Amino acid sequence: MFNLILFLLNFVKSTVESQNSCPIEYWNLKNTDAIPNGEFHDEWMRQNWSRRDNMFKSELRLLNAYLYSDFIAVTTTIQYKTGQPAYCRYFDCNQVEIPNSTWQSSFFPLNTVYCVRRAGAKFVSISLENDENFAKPPIPLIYRAFEEPIHEIGMCVGPFYGPEKRWLTLIEFVEHMRIYEVSMFYFTIFDLDGYSRLALDEYENQGIAETTVIQTEYEQLDWMFHLMQLHDCFHRSRSHSKWVINADIDERFVMLHPDLTLSGLLSAQPENVGELNFQAQRIQKSQKSPEKYINLLEAIANLEALKFRKTAKTRIWESSKSIYRPEKVAVQTYHHSHLQYPGIIVKNVPRDVAYFRHYRVTSVSNSIGNGWIYGDNFTDTGLESELEKLLVHRVANMVEHVYGS
């Protein structure tokens, strides 16, 4: 039996190589004919789960294509075609389409198209019709067919847009979360100034960040684009990180239990737990971050954890944040998962164990920010002193390294 399997693998390999002269790796000899959990996807499509009728007539652009063990996930910029047909097309290393390889799929969830595997495929494309003339330019497959995740804890960071400079907030955010053992950060950029990009580039150079840059035909962006980021990061982190924190750059995780670490909390969860939800505590941010680096003392003085302490009363589970297992979750939404696969449960973590501190600019002109102010019911709260000292030390080193010279 083993000799027969080996013969078939060598036959497929030699056939594909003879057609296109492309070397084929051992992991790329696989053909599949169905998507795992496809029957659940079909039912959820019929029920219109994940549907968002917005950004009509937007251009179909391919973001990323992720290769897993049994399927491929292609993320796009379209958000209004849930359940409608899409055709997966496969290309070799020279971007020549592999003959008779097209497979019909659908848009689900939201802006994603799931595709089967094709031996020898190095690039993929999507077309809205079963015609090669309507296919978008192919994009390379990103390898995610790991037997075990590379990282124990990763982080999907909310999208960057808006005029505020993010360099100091970005460094404070990353260094804070690294204290809690996050070893990979997945960033999505719609608009980020070049000065702040220096810090992000350095984290990429250090191998602890990956970035998706999204270009669209829209001149102005709003909260609807957040879903695009969520679904792309959901697939980017899958099989790469075991647990994924879903939060924005102005949200910081904090553990309160003295004898418990985040990795300890996560490792203690049964296999049927797909998501943990945490309450958010809101801290009023009355000023924007500094535009440029002046000196180290000024940078440290402007850290959000030190500068802003005016804290609103916690509202039970309103705007909660989540940490989830990507392979156990089917559909994402803004603050938590929308659907889980059968048998998977979601748990709420008590406020006295862990929570998120959410720093948000509030002003009369900011309609979203107004909703974060609850009368005069504020308290003064900061980080625990040892955490604060460690954060300042780590931020100072990184700021000096990137901007000090």
Side-chain angles (χ1 to χ4, degrees):
M1 184 65 178
F2 175 80
N3 291 334
L4 176 59
I5 294 174
L6 185 61
F7 170 79
L8 291 174
L9 288 175
N10 289 331
F11 175 78
V12 171
K13 180 178 179 180
S14 62
T15 301
V16 175
E17 288 183 346
S18 66
Q19 290 176 344
N20 54 33
S21 301
C22 284
I24 308 297
E25 298 84 353
Y26 73 93
W27 50 263
N28 205 7
L29 295 172
K30 193 168 189 176
N31 286 295
T32 60
D33 56 8
I35 303 298
N37 297 305
E39 68 276 16
F40 300 114
H41 297 177
D42 291 341
E43 178 59 28
W44 289 330
M45 276 187 277
R46 285 191 289 269
Q47 297 175 10
N48 275 331
W49 284 102
S50 158
R51 181 170 177 173
R52 292 291 187 277
D53 290 336
N54 57 63
M55 295 192 289
F56 286 114
K57 299 182 180 179
S58 60
E59 177 73 14
L60 171 62
R61 304 177 192 273
L62 307 186
L63 294 179
N64 290 300
Y66 302 101
L67 175 84
Y68 307 105
S69 176
D70 297 322
F71 67 98
I72 294 167
V74 182
T75 56
T76 75
T77 59
I78 281 187
Q79 295 192 176
Y80 63 91
K81 286 188 174 293
T82 295
Q84 297 187 31
Y87 295 87
C88 304
R89 317 189 77 93
Y90 305 84
F91 299 78
D92 65 18
C93 67
N94 296 312
Q95 297 197 16
V96 176
E97 187 161 9
I98 298 173
N100 304 314
S101 62
T102 303
W103 190 77
Q104 183 174 347
S105 184
S106 301
F107 284 91
F108 182 87
L110 196 68
N111 63 327
T112 304
V113 178
Y114 286 120
C115 300
V116 297
R117 293 272 309 262
R118 290 288 185 258
K122 293 292 186 69
F123 294 81
V124 295
S125 180
I126 299 295
S127 63
L128 300 179
E129 300 182 34
N130 190 13
D131 187 330
E132 63 181 8
N133 295 318
F134 291 91
K136 292 297 175 179
I139 57 176
L141 287 168
I142 298 173
Y143 186 87
R144 286 295 189 261
F146 303 110
E147 292 184 5
E148 295 290 338
I150 305 300
H151 302 276
E152 183 70 16
I153 308 175
M155 186 150 201
C156 279
V157 187
F160 291 143
Y161 41 68
E164 185 176 359
K165 296 294 189 294
R166 306 284 183 165
W167 66 276
L168 183 58
T169 305
L170 190 155
I171 291 176
E172 181 180 356
F173 169 82
V174 171
E175 296 305 326
H176 181 114
M177 297 310 303
R178 290 183 74 184
I179 293 173
Y180 286 100
E181 304 170 274
V182 175
S183 56
M184 176 54 66
F185 295 82
Y186 308 98
F187 287 96
T188 301
I189 296 176
F190 288 98
D191 182 22
L192 182 66
D193 64 282
Y195 192 76
S196 301
R197 186 67 199 244
L198 293 173
L200 183 54
D201 287 347
E202 178 59 30
Y203 283 123
E204 286 193 277
N205 290 339
Q206 293 179 14
I208 63 171
E210 293 185 1
T211 302
T212 294
V213 178
I214 298 181
Q215 298 180 347
T216 75
E217 64 271 32
Y218 291 91
E219 294 182 358
Q220 292 183 326
L221 307 179
D222 64 12
W223 57 273
M224 287 291 188
F225 288 81
H226 202 147
L227 288 171
M228 202 180 296
Q229 172 266 329
L230 282 172
H231 283 78
D232 182 74
C233 192
F234 168 70
H235 293 293
R236 180 179 282 277
S237 61
R238 180 175 182 145
S239 297
H240 198 237
S241 292
K242 182 176 181 179
W243 289 93
V244 177
I245 305 175
N246 178 27
D248 298 332
I249 195 173
D250 55 5
E251 296 164 331
R252 318 286 159 72
F253 181 81
V254 176
M255 291 287 296
L256 298 178
H257 199 292
D259 300 319
L260 186 63
T261 63
L262 176 55
S263 59
L265 173 66
L266 298 178
S267 63
Q269 301 305 314
E271 275 300 307
N272 67 332
V273 173
E275 179 179 32
L276 298 177
N277 283 328
F278 302 81
Q279 293 182 47
Q281 188 176 53
R282 288 120 178 214
I283 294 91
Q284 184 176 1
K285 182 179 175 181
S286 55
Q287 300 173 3
K288 291 187 176 181
S289 300
E291 295 273 322
K292 298 280 186 179
Y293 175 85
I294 303 300
N295 57 58
L296 190 56
L297 288 178
E298 181 174 306
I300 296 303
N302 277 287
L303 292 183
E304 293 176 346
L306 305 185
K307 193 172 185 178
F308 306 114
R309 301 169 60 91
K310 194 174 182 180
T311 307
K313 181 180 178 181
T314 301
R315 289 197 169 184
I316 302 300
W317 303 115
E318 183 180 294
S319 299
S320 61
K321 309 303 293 186
S322 70
I323 304 179
Y324 63 90
R325 295 277 301 271
E327 78 280 6
K328 298 180 184 295
V329 169
V331 179
Q332 283 288 97
T333 187
Y334 296 102
H335 297 288
H336 46 78
S337 64
H338 204 40
L339 288 172
Q340 303 83 35
Y341 289 113
I344 302 303
I345 65 172
V346 176
K347 293 174 62 176
N348 294 332
V349 177
R351 168 67 175 75
D352 60 353
V353 173
Y355 72 106
F356 280 84
R357 292 174 64 84
H358 189 165
Y359 299 88
R360 187 67 177 268
V361 174
T362 54
S363 66
V364 175
S365 61
N366 184 347
S367 60
I368 296 178
N370 288 338
W372 295 75
I373 302 177
Y374 304 123
D376 298 321
N377 193 9
F378 290 99
T379 57
D380 246 19
T381 62
L383 299 179
E384 186 270 328
S385 60
E386 291 302 314
L387 173 60
E388 187 177 279
K389 291 176 184 177
L390 180 57
L391 176 63
V392 169
H393 173 72
R394 296 181 67 104
V395 170
N397 286 342
M398 189 63 177
V399 166
E400 187 70 20
H401 174 65
V402 177
Y403 297 102
S405 59

